[in-house]
Amino acid sequence: MAAQGGRNSAGRTGATEPAAAPAPGLQGRRILFGVTGSIAAFKAAGWVRCLANEEARVTVVMTRAAEQFISRLTFGALSGNRVHGDMFASDPEGIMAHITLSREADCVLIAPATAQTIARLAHGLADDLLSAAVLAADIPVVLCPAMNTNMLHHPATRDNLDRLREIGYTVIAPASGSLACGEVGAGRMPEWDLVRETLLALFADQDLAGRRILITAGPTREPLDPVRYLSNRSSGRMGYALARTARRRGAGVTLVAGPVNLPDPPGVRVVRVTTAVEMRDTVRTLAEGMDIIVGAAAVADFRPRTCQERKIKKRGAVTSIELERNPDIMAELGRNRRPGLLLVGFAAESHDHEQEGRRKLEEKNLDLVVVNDILGSRTGFDVETNQVTLLTARDRRRLPLLSKEATADRIWDRVVELATP
Ligand code: C5P
């Protein structure tokens, strides 16, 4: 993760650079982790480990059925905490566990959640420690149902899940695929990335709720022939971090991404493009419905005038490539701007940073320009950290060296200020 990247690389980059602040994550969050009796319980072990690695504080409660699949010892070792399961434990810590467990947690995550536990919770039963603790809980509850497809689609389970959603619990839709019972269908545990984002959203201010945001990210590729292209070193990380953090804060996010090697952020609509012209056409089509557009892509400024249909031969006589200008997507949006649309651009500079940033702010008619130094060892391409200055017509704010996600959050803070009359 970014925070570790920051710490690990501190020694290499010398004492003059400040340490990166940690990524906004689940560190210190207290998670009451319920594990119920499904074969998918083994996946929960991996998730507890992910949470512990992130320094979240995890307390596991297992149902009796869960203990048929996996031992308490596993969860105790992975979480570093006592594992609970007995409703009638007589030791001082166990006696009131059904009340104290949720009092000492920030949220409940039940994964896997079986049809049985879902039914218990939907009917307010409290006949085991987990269901009693959830009934006593005044904190957000997240469920990851995992079961055979027919059990999931049974009207009883559907009604129970509807009831739990009505109560205000978050139900993460199970993934589809091959199930342990041999059938294929919905019922698998979701990806951890989706669950993590769901937890992070619970803890985030929903100050972008209802906003429709389009973000461009990554490089573009401008083909020369069927195998060669012109491109740049952009990894897409900054744009993807903006998409994740905006989604966490409640926005509806569309990411128009050039060729990058990053997983799609959960809950974000991702439209893949290759060339600058494709990116421009896609953005133009989608811009209509947006409140905020952020140009984080490193769009190639030029493209080869022609793309050869056949591979150019090494023995051929090509000694130069004729280029033509690509459209400037943000400048076009700035020229034909609809009232109320907020435009944020980036200025990746190697020198005269702020002067260049201010020129782009004015020439492209933007509301905010994020300036960064592409030559800095921890602020350039393909690194986990960034240090930027936020320029508006009125002021400038220099941010410290931060992970790209933390930088993204600070950019959204400024956007929220600008968007609030
Ligand atoms: O002029 P320059 O390329 O440095 O401007 C950077 C800003 O403009 C970024 O926000 C980038 O996404 C956007 N841009 C664009 N279309 C281009 C070139 C840059 O939208 N052809």
Side-chain angles (χ1 to χ4, degrees):
M1 278 304 299
Q4 286 164 352
R7 275 199 295 275
N8 292 343
S9 51
R12 288 200 304 274
T13 53
T16 49
E17 293 202 39
L26 292 167
Q27 188 183 32
R29 299 292 184 187
R30 301 168 307 169
I31 318 275
L32 183 57
F33 199 131
V35 182
T36 73
S38 149
I39 181 64
F42 78 91
K43 287 197 182 165
W47 294 6
V48 169
R49 177 158 189 132
C50 290
L51 286 165
N53 282 347
E54 224 181 307
E55 295 175 32
R57 288 156 57 191
V58 187
T59 304
V60 175
V61 179
M62 298 177 74
T63 61
R64 287 184 65 169
E67 291 189 50
Q68 300 293 317
F69 290 93
I70 189 163
S71 82
R72 283 193 191 197
L73 187 65
T74 305
F75 287 109
L78 293 173
S79 68
N81 285 319
R82 171 178 170 169
V83 175
H84 295 260
D86 302 326
M87 183 71 166
F88 302 107
S90 56
D91 62 295
E93 204 193 328
I95 270 178
M96 293 297 272
H98 65 294
I99 308 293
T100 52
L101 280 173
S102 63
R103 232 186 244 161
E104 290 164 7
D106 301 312
C107 78
V108 179
L109 169 65
I110 304 182
T114 55
Q116 168 70 29
T117 291
I118 288 165
R120 274 201 189 105
L121 299 180
H123 292 85
L125 298 188
D127 61 346
D128 69 358
L129 182 62
L130 180 60
S131 53
V134 175
L135 205 58
D138 191 17
I139 49 177
V141 176
V142 179
L143 302 171
C144 298
M147 65 196 75
N148 163 275
T149 304
N150 290 342
M151 292 171 83
L152 181 71
H153 290 146
H154 192 286
T157 308
R158 280 202 211 174
D159 285 353
N160 289 336
L161 286 171
D162 285 345
R163 175 78 191 121
L164 293 175
R165 283 191 202 96
E166 234 172 71
I167 292 173
Y169 293 1
T170 302
V171 177
I172 300 182
S176 292
S178 65
L179 304 170
C181 57
E183 290 177 22
V184 176
R188 288 164 64 90
M189 289 265 269
E191 294 295 323
W192 170 241
D193 195 16
L194 169 60
V195 181
R196 180 175 181 272
E197 285 299 328
T198 305
L199 296 177
L200 286 168
L202 288 179
F203 299 122
D205 272 351
Q206 296 298 294
D207 51 3
L208 289 172
R211 309 260 188 203
R212 293 154 307 169
I213 301 181
L214 186 150
I215 299 163
T216 67
T220 62
R221 266 182 202 170
E222 312 299 328
L224 260 171
D225 71 13
V227 292
R228 304 184 180 94
Y229 54 79
L230 301 180
S231 191
N232 59 64
R233 289 174 51 206
S234 167
S235 66
R237 284 202 181 115
M238 195 60 234
Y240 273 61
L242 282 159
R244 273 182 189 266
T245 46
R247 176 74 199 132
R248 267 175 221 162
R249 294 165 74 146
V253 182
T254 303
L255 189 55
V256 179
V260 297
N261 197 11
L262 295 170
D264 288 357
V268 168
R269 177 182 175 204
V270 181
V271 184
R272 298 261 177 191
V273 296
T274 306
T275 65
V277 170
E278 275 171 34
M279 187 176 273
R280 190 270 313 269
D281 293 346
T282 306
V283 170
R284 213 188 243 175
T285 311
L286 296 172
E288 186 68 37
M290 299 296 158
D291 303 306
I292 301 165
I293 299 181
V294 182
V299 186
D301 290 321
F302 301 96
R303 63 174 179 269
R305 187 174 288 281
T306 50
C307 170
Q308 303 298 325
E309 257 173 53
R310 294 173 169 209
K311 186 180 169 196
I312 301 165
K313 288 285 178 207
K314 202 192 311 191
R315 277 168 296 161
V318 179
T319 51
S320 63
I321 301 165
E322 211 181 326
L323 300 174
E324 65 186 359
R325 230 176 219 298
N326 266 329
D328 189 316
I329 304 168
M330 293 307 285
E332 280 186 12
L333 291 167
R335 272 197 297 277
N336 310 307
R337 178 200 256 285
R338 187 170 35 78
L341 175 67
L342 208 131
L343 295 178
V344 181
F346 273 70
E349 305 297 339
S350 57
H351 57 280
D352 298 335
H353 307 86
E354 284 198 31
Q355 200 183 319
E356 283 300 302
R358 211 155 269 294
R359 186 178 62 74
K360 279 169 199 171
L361 186 75
E362 283 158 24
E363 281 181 4
K364 301 194 190 202
N365 191 22
L366 307 177
D367 300 287
L368 174 64
V369 165
V370 182
V371 183
N372 72 312
D373 176 2
I374 50 168
L375 297 186
S377 62
R378 302 175 75 189
T379 59
F381 291 113
D382 224 2
V383 290
E384 296 281 5
T385 50
N386 210 348
Q387 180 161 27
V388 304
T389 303
L390 307 183
L391 296 181
T392 66
R394 264 178 292 146
D395 61 10
R396 68 182 280 282
R397 296 192 194 168
R398 183 158 170 76
L399 303 186
L401 183 72
L402 296 166
S403 69
K404 283 190 174 163
E405 279 198 7
T407 303
D409 259 323
R410 301 284 285 272
I411 294 169
W412 292 127
D413 290 346
R414 190 72 184 107
V415 166
V416 169
E417 283 173 6
L418 293 173
T420 311

